[in-house]
Amino acid sequence: MKKRTVADRGADGSERPRHCADGMPNTTMEVHVMHKSIRTPHADTRRRAAGGELIGSQEANGTHAWRGIRYAQAPTGPLRWRAPQPASAWDGVFHALAHGPMAPQYAGLLAPVPAKLYGRIVGDEDCLSLNIFAPAWASDAVPAGVQRRPVMVWIHGGGNAVGTAASYDAARNYAAHDGMVVVTVNYRLGVLGWFRHPALHEADSGTAEERSGNFGTLDLIAALRWVRDNIAAFGGDPGCVTIFGESAGGQNVLTLLASPLAAGLFQRAIAQSPVAETFSVHEATERNDLPLESQRTSAREVVARLWTAAGKAPDVDAADQALHATPATDLATWLRSLKPEELLSVFKPGSVGICLSPRPVRDGVVLPLDPLPEVFRHGAWNRVPVIIGSNRDEYRTFLADKPEHVRLLFGKLPLLRDRAEYITESNFYSQAWRSLHVEEPADAMLAGGHADVWTYRFDWDEAPAVPFVRPDILLGAAHGMEMAFAFRDTAGELDIFGINTSSNRAGRRAVAQAMGDAWTSFARVGVPRLSGDAQWQRRTHGMAAETLLIDSPAGGGLRMAGVRQDIASLKASLRLSPQVSSGESRCRIYARVFLWSPLFAGLGSEQEYAELGREFGCAQPASVFRQLTEV
C-alpha cells in the first residue's frame, strides 16, 4: 500500500494539505447521457483487487466503469446487525457490469424503479457494494506512484432511509472532464443501518463497534478501508481521498469527520445540505412519549411495534412489557428471522419514500458521546479541509407536495394555495436548516481552531415559470437541486426535478462549470478554486462576507456575502419581518418550524409560542398548525 505523505507546513507551522496529482482534465470530451443498455466487458478494464481479478465496461463518455464490487460480505442472516465483514475472494474474473442491489427501502423518486412501484418496499439486504469510474486507461497504462489521481467518494442521501449509488452515475463526469477516480457507495439504511437494541448485544456478545448500533456508519468506514487498500489498482491515490455527500450523505460526511474509526481514511470532506443531528444512547434505545413520530423510533419502540404487528401483543405498551421478560437470545433470533418488508412495515414513509427511522448514535466508540458541534468545537476529530453549505430554498423540496401548501390538479399537478405565504414560511424553514446544520457546525470548527473551512449557499432558481404550476416558485433553489451542478451534469442525467430547458441551459452550464471546478480543485489541493476573478475565501470569525453565493450570471454569479444567522436571531426576525402577513401567520410559522418539524424539534417551546400568541393576538393552540406528515 502506498504510504501517505505528510502534509506540508505553512509559514505559521500549521499543516497544509498536500497537493494531489493533477490528472489533467480532458476538456475536449463531450459528456453524453448514458442510456440503459446491456453493458459488455471491455478488455482495457481488467484490474486486480484484493478479492481477485475483475473486468468492467466502457462508458458512453469514454470512461471506464466497474459496478457492483463487494466491499463486505452480505449482512444477512447471522450477519444482520453485525459489523461489516471483509468480502470473500472470488474465483475467475468478476464481471463488474451491473450495480449491486439497493438497501431495502420504500420506493420513491430516489430509487431507480418504475413509478408504479412507488410506495412499495424494494431492495435487498445484500447491498454492500461500490462502483468505480476512472479515465479510460489501458491495463498496462494505469497511473502509478506520484501519477495516481485524486479519489472522490460519493455518499448518497435520502434521510438514511432511501436511495442508492445507482442513481448517481453522473459522477463519471469527474473522470471524463477532470481525470479523477470516483467511487459511489451503497450502505445499510434505516432500521437495518442504525439499530441499537440491548438484546442483540447480550445474545451476540458483539464487539464494541457492533454494540453502537451504527451499522451504516461502519459500512461506510469499511468502504473507505476498501478504497484505501484497492484504489491504486484503478489509478487512484489512496492518500488523496475526498468524501462528499448530500443531505443524509452530508450527515454521514459529518459523522465520518467525527468518528475516530475513520481517521486517516480521507483527506478532504464536502457536506452538501447536511443534517448535523445525532442521537444519544438513551434516545436510540429507550421508549418515550414525545409527540413527534420521528422522536419515537428508538430500538425498544420499534421492536414493540414489530411484536404487536406480529400479533404477539394487543398494543405496544403490552408488547414492551412482554419483551422485557423475553430472553435476549430468543428475541435476537426472532428479529433476525423477520423479512426486511416486515421490519420496514412499522414505519410510515413520507416525501420520496423517506421514513423517519433510527439514525446515527453517539455511542462513545463509533461516534463521540457529544453532539457534532460540540465535537468540532472541543473534541478530537478528523481535521481535514471542509466545504459545507446548503441551498437557499432548502425546505421547499419537503413542502412542495404537502396539502397544507398545495392542491393537486388532476391528482398530479401541484398548485400553490397561497404563493406569498408559501415563500415566507419556506424561507424560515430553510434558514433554520442553514442555521442549525451549516452555520453551527462550521463555526464550531472555527472555534476549535480549524482554519480550513469554506461555506456556500446555492441560489440557482431558474426553473421554468410554467403558468399555474410555477416550478420556479414551488422549488426555487430547493434541497437536492445542486447535485447535478456539482457533478457537471448539463445533459440532464440527474435532472430529478425535470426543470432543465433550453432557456436555462446557459445559466446551468455556467453554474455547473463553477461548482465542478471548485469541487475538483478542492479534491486535488485542499482549496476550492473558481474560474475568472471570483475568489472563495475561507470562513473566519467576524467575517462580514463569509459565504460564497453560487448562482448563474443572470442571478448575480459567484460572490461572497454575509448570510450568517443563528436560531435566536431567526426567531427575532419572525416577530419583526414585514413579509409575515399577520399575527396568526407568525404563530403558524413558529409552531411548524420550531415545534412540529423533526429537524428543529426542541428549538422551540410551548411557552415561547404562548408569548408570541399574546403579543400578536393569536389564541389558537400550537397543535392546530401541526402538519399532516412530518417529512
Side-chain angles (χ1 to χ4, degrees):
M1 184 176 69
K2 180 178 180 290
K3 188 176 181 180
R4 181 186 172 196
T5 58
V6 178
D8 296 328
R9 293 189 179 273
D12 60 355
S14 60
E15 287 195 351
R16 292 289 181 259
R18 69 180 181 86
H19 290 212
C20 303
D22 244 8
M24 293 302 292
N26 181 353
T27 56
T28 62
M29 187 173 293
E30 185 176 359
V31 178
H32 298 280
V33 176
M34 173 96 175
H35 296 285
K36 289 184 178 179
S37 61
I38 298 174
R39 303 183 185 97
T40 58
H42 194 283
D44 284 347
T45 65
R46 192 176 289 261
R47 303 286 187 270
R48 178 169 289 279
E53 201 167 12
L54 67 166
I55 192 168
S57 59
Q58 182 156 302
E59 301 294 281
N61 63 0
T63 58
H64 287 164
W66 299 264
R67 293 177 171 88
I69 303 172
R70 287 184 184 272
Y71 65 84
Q73 293 182 39
T76 57
L79 292 184
R80 179 189 281 178
W81 296 311
R82 302 299 298 256
Q85 301 301 306
S88 302
W90 56 81
D91 295 326
V93 178
F94 174 63
H95 283 214
L97 304 177
H99 293 105
M102 71 185 85
Q105 60 193 268
Y106 282 97
L109 190 62
L110 298 183
V113 298
K116 65 182 180 181
L117 295 179
Y118 285 7
R120 300 184 189 179
I121 296 172
V122 297
D124 193 310
E125 281 190 84
D126 184 6
C127 63
L128 302 186
S129 66
L130 53 79
N131 316 293
I132 301 173
F133 302 94
W137 298 305
S139 300
D140 59 356
V142 178
V146 296
Q147 298 303 315
R148 290 179 180 138
R149 303 298 174 81
V151 180
M152 300 182 73
V153 179
W154 172 252
I155 303 170
H156 72 77
N160 276 332
V162 300
T164 169
S167 298
Y168 300 96
D169 280 3
R172 71 166 86 80
N173 291 344
Y174 290 141
H177 187 282
D178 304 284
M180 301 285 181
V181 176
V182 187
V183 181
T184 62
V185 182
N186 277 354
Y187 54 100
R188 281 175 280 186
L189 300 173
V191 68
L192 291 164
W194 286 272
F195 186 66
R196 194 184 194 283
H197 198 283
L200 298 177
H201 315 159
E202 297 172 28
D204 297 344
S205 300
T207 65
E209 290 85 358
E210 289 168 334
R211 290 195 294 274
S212 77
N214 289 310
F215 305 104
T217 308
L218 291 171
D219 291 343
L220 293 170
I221 292 169
L224 289 171
R225 287 172 178 158
W226 191 97
V227 168
R228 176 195 62 193
D229 297 341
N230 294 279
I231 205 64
F234 301 85
D237 182 352
C240 186
V241 174
T242 298
I243 58 171
F244 69 129
E246 184 268 348
S247 193
Q251 178 183 27
N252 293 330
V253 166
L254 296 183
T255 57
L256 289 169
L257 283 168
S259 176
L261 302 185
L265 295 178
F266 57 92
Q267 288 70 45
R268 339 249 188 258
I270 303 173
Q272 300 170 206
S273 303
V275 173
E277 180 183 46
T278 52
F279 294 85
S280 70
V281 168
H282 181 84
E283 290 169 327
T285 305
E286 303 302 330
R287 296 183 67 215
N288 63 65
D289 58 357
L290 295 171
L292 286 175
E293 186 175 350
S294 57
Q295 295 176 319
R296 290 181 277 108
T297 58
S298 69
R300 290 197 188 277
E301 175 72 22
V302 169
V303 175
R305 292 184 198 170
L306 290 167
W307 198 259
T308 305
K312 295 176 177 290
D315 55 51
V316 290
D317 291 329
D320 188 52
Q321 289 185 353
L323 286 163
H324 275 85
T326 303
T329 302
D330 294 347
L331 183 53
T333 300
W334 178 72
L335 286 170
R336 288 202 169 93
S337 74
L338 297 176
K339 297 177 181 179
E341 294 86 348
E342 294 172 298
L343 292 170
L344 288 172
S345 68
V346 297
F347 298 98
K348 178 184 178 182
S351 297
V352 300
I354 293 174
C355 54
L356 297 167
S357 53
R359 283 148 285 173
V361 184
R362 303 192 301 269
D363 66 293
V365 176
V366 177
L367 294 180
L369 293 172
D370 290 327
L372 291 175
E374 291 306 305
V375 173
F376 298 144
R377 184 175 290 109
H378 302 298
W381 58 284
N382 302 313
R383 294 173 180 256
V384 303
V386 175
I387 291 175
I388 181 171
S390 64
N391 299 354
R392 188 194 63 209
D393 305 313
E394 199 77 70
Y395 218 86
R396 291 190 193 179
T397 295
F398 304 99
L399 300 180
D401 63 344
K402 298 300 186 291
E404 290 88 357
H405 296 285
V406 301
R407 58 185 179 88
L408 295 179
L409 184 64
F410 307 122
K412 292 183 179 181
L413 296 177
L415 303 181
L416 284 168
R417 298 180 185 277
D418 187 316
R419 289 180 185 175
E421 293 283 352
Y422 178 77
I423 291 170
T424 301
E425 185 171 318
S426 68
N427 286 348
F428 278 94
Y429 272 114
S430 300
Q431 185 55 57
W433 186 313
R434 180 171 185 86
S435 298
L436 188 64
H437 301 302
V438 175
E439 309 285 6
E440 186 173 345
D443 283 339
M445 292 176 185
L446 297 183
H450 188 61
D452 290 325
V453 181
W454 291 262
T455 52
Y456 72 88
R457 193 182 75 188
F458 178 83
D459 281 15
W460 185 88
D461 60 354
E462 296 169 19
V466 179
F468 302 110
V469 179
R470 295 300 300 271
D472 57 327
I473 297 174
L474 191 68
L475 296 171
H479 184 74
M481 189 78 76
E482 89 294 345
M483 288 190 292
F485 296 87
F487 283 136
R488 296 191 184 277
D489 174 38
T490 57
E493 183 175 4
L494 200 57
D495 181 17
I496 57 178
F497 296 103
I499 46 81
N500 288 2
T501 65
S502 58
S503 62
N504 63 28
R505 183 183 297 126
R508 286 190 287 111
R509 285 178 172 170
V511 176
Q513 178 181 338
M515 292 191 74
D517 289 350
W519 265 229
T520 55
S521 61
F522 181 74
R524 286 194 187 94
V525 302
V527 177
R529 292 174 176 169
L530 305 172
S531 55
D533 297 329
Q535 290 190 349
W536 192 348
Q537 300 173 36
R538 284 177 173 83
R539 185 182 182 95
T540 63
H541 280 302
M543 188 177 184
E546 82 290 342
T547 292
L548 178 73
L549 303 189
I550 300 174
D551 207 342
S552 69
L558 305 175
R559 62 206 187 275
M560 297 296 295
V563 298
R564 184 188 269 124
Q565 187 176 47
D566 59 23
I567 294 297
S569 61
L570 183 62
K571 289 180 179 179
S573 70
L574 176 60
R575 294 179 55 256
L576 302 172
S577 173
Q579 277 74 45
V580 185
S581 61
S582 65
E584 181 175 309
S585 293
R586 296 181 201 278
C587 289
R588 184 191 69 247
I589 292 170
Y590 181 95
R592 287 183 176 171
V593 175
F594 299 116
L595 295 179
W596 299 121
S597 168
L599 282 183
F600 319 119
L603 297 179
S605 68
E606 289 284 353
Q607 179 180 349
E608 275 189 344
Y609 175 82
E611 291 171 355
L612 191 70
R614 285 193 293 270
E615 182 176 357
F616 291 99
C618 176
Q620 298 190 76
S623 58
V624 169
F625 301 117
R626 183 171 185 170
Q627 305 91 325
L628 293 177
T629 57
E630 293 178 16
V631 175

